[in-house]
Every structure is written in C-alpha cells, then in structure tokens.
Amino acid sequence: MSGSREAILDTIRKNHVQGDRPRPTVPLFDQAAPADLKALFQKSLERMGGKMLTPDAADPMAPVRQAIVKPGPVLSCVPEFEGDMKITPQTKPTDIAPVEYAVLRAAFGVAETGSLCFTEKQLLVNTTGFLPQHLVILLDPSQIVYNLHNAYQRPEWTQAHYAVFQSGPSATADIEGVLVHGAQGVRSLSVLFHPPS
C-alpha cells in the first residue's frame, strides 16, 4: 500500500506546475447594492432569526442591558459594557461554556446575508462565538458591506489567524418541522448599531 501511495505522490510532484500564477479577477456583483445597507442588513438578519436592538441616544448601552433578561454569567469582550466575567490569558475555550450572554463587537457585517464577521481579535477566545446561550453584538454601521464578494476583500481574511461568519442564532428542524434554536450554538443573536467609542 505504501508503494502505491509513494507512486501517486511522485506523479503529483512531477506534474505540479511551479511558479506564481495570478488569481482570476472575480466581479463583486454589487451593481444592485442599495444605498441603505443598514436597512438591508436588518431585513436579512431578521430573516435569519436575529434581532435588531433599538438604539438609545441618551444611554447607548441601555438596549444591551435590556437584552439581558435571564440570570447567569455575562461575558463582555467590549470596553463599552461591563460584564461579570472576564477573559484572561489563562481562560480556556471550555471556560466559556457556562456563559449565558456574551457581548461582542463584530469586525463587520454583510447586508445581503445578515452575517457578522468575527476574528480572534473580537472573540478573545474563539469559543465565545458559539458556547454562550445568547450573543449581543455591537456593529459599526459604517462597517457593513453589501455581499460576500465584498466581504472576502476585507483584510480580516488575510490578517487574522481565525475568522468566522455568523448569521442569526443556531437552528435545526426535524422532519416534522419542529424548529429548535441553540441546537449547535447560540439560542439568540441580537445586534445593536453602535460605532466604537
């Protein structure tokens, strides 16, 4: 068996074309982009089961506090909001499991899909995006792109070690159509348009 494996790998090595080849130019497909990306993002997010929080000019973090309706550890990964759990250099990925709410900032949003991008910079620990029961996300509206073609032009995909899209809460349905949220991840995802301080 190992002789066959080596023969296959030798053939691949001999026929591998060396040198740099330019990537093809991929169009952005954004001719139909609306002027108001915020409205499209909200519509797409809600279609995916997410919720938009209503901004409060007098108290910007009031919508975040109002979104936290159950007791339990609240983890904040943003300076704008004080949680009762902190991530330290000793925090292990499994330490996030008991978190009821995590407050995060998205790197950017995608209007067409209602998706949010997170890197290790926003998550601090990669499981922060999946193990809490509920996510409350701060999103700078100036950081919304139209579609995934534009999203993949962003620097996060070349400068971060880890990047992930999330679109609404986790959900699964069985053959009888019973929908369950939180089956493989968060049970709710709420977004507040809020530029960084």
Side-chain angles (χ1 to χ4, degrees), residues 92-113:
K92 298 185 293 294
T94 53
D95 293 342
I96 308 301
V99 171
E100 189 70 27
Y101 291 88
V103 182
L104 305 166
R105 177 171 290 284
F108 65 92
V110 182
E112 187 178 53
T113 60

Side-chain angles (χ1 to χ4, degrees), residues 2-38:
S2 92
S4 299
R5 180 179 181 274
E6 284 306 313
I8 292 169
L9 292 174
D10 283 342
T11 303
I12 291 170
R13 287 184 197 105
K14 283 184 217 168
N15 292 299
H16 178 69
V17 179
Q18 298 295 325
D20 287 338
R21 289 177 299 285
R23 294 180 179 177
T25 302
V26 178
L28 296 178
F29 299 103
D30 56 1
Q31 302 86 342
D36 187 358
L37 292 180
K38 285 172 57 175

Side-chain angles (χ1 to χ4, degrees), residues 24-33 110 112 145-154:
T25 302
V26 178
L28 296 178
F29 299 103
D30 56 1
Q31 302 86 342
V110 182
E112 187 178 53
V145 298
Y146 171 53
N147 59 17
L148 289 172
H149 294 82
N150 285 274
Y152 283 118
Q153 303 302 312
R154 295 271 310 200

